[in-house]
Structures are given as structure tokens and as C-alpha cells.
Amino acid sequence: MSGPAEVEQDLAGTGGVATLKAVADHGEITGDSIAGTYDQARADLDAVEKLGISYTAVVQGLETEVIRRFQQSSDTLLSAVRGARPRRDG
């Protein structure tokens, strides 16, 4: 995933080393942009819910999809490793 990176004290997202290096190279860290935003975040989620979009259902759907894709990647990797192993006669 790429895009703007926000780095907070004691918090780094899942952007990885490349993202952190990019922020260190040319990013601008302006301070804590998370504290004090709970009320607005709650209001935003409530507004989305009023549109008929369930936050819980969205998160569960994303979680299910991520697990499915991870499992596919894991299966592909394991299959490649098994295929590359030397056969034991025996």
C-alpha cells in the first residue's frame, strides 16, 4: 500500500521500511495528528452507519479477504518450495 504516511510517536503503520525511509528522506512530521480526533472520527463513522454501511461488516469483510489472500500466497509459496526440494529416493 502506498500513499501519504503519518508517523506518530510510538506508532508505525504497516507501510514497511521503504515508507519509513521515504518519510525520513523527504517527509514532514508536524506532530501528533491523532490525539484529540476521537470525537470527529466517531461522528464520521456514525454518518457512514446512517448511510447503511456497517463498519463492522466492512472490517469483517476486509479481514476475511486478507486472510483468504494470505492463505493463497502461503499455499503458492509452500507448493513452490515443495516442488524445488530435491526428491529423496526411498
Side-chain angles (χ1 to χ4, degrees):
M1 181 166 61
S2 62
E6 287 196 13
V7 178
E8 299 295 333
Q9 181 178 0
D10 301 325
L11 172 70
T14 58
V17 174
T19 300
L20 292 175
K21 285 182 179 179
V23 170
D25 183 45
H26 56 270
E28 182 178 335
I29 299 174
T30 58
D32 184 349
S33 62
I34 295 175
T37 63
Y38 177 83
D39 291 338
Q40 183 61 54
R42 181 76 267 160
D44 292 345
L45 289 173
D46 288 346
V48 168
E49 193 82 32
K50 286 179 184 174
L51 294 172
I53 302 168
S54 167
Y55 174 79
T56 301
V58 169
V59 170
Q60 287 174 345
L62 289 170
E63 182 179 276
T64 299
E65 181 64 14
V66 166
I67 291 169
R68 183 186 68 77
R69 288 182 182 203
F70 179 84
Q71 185 65 52
Q72 285 178 334
S73 296
S74 177
D75 291 346
T76 300
L77 175 63
L78 288 173
S79 179
V81 169
R82 286 184 185 118
R85 284 191 317 196
R87 295 193 180 265
R88 293 174 35 186
D89 292 335

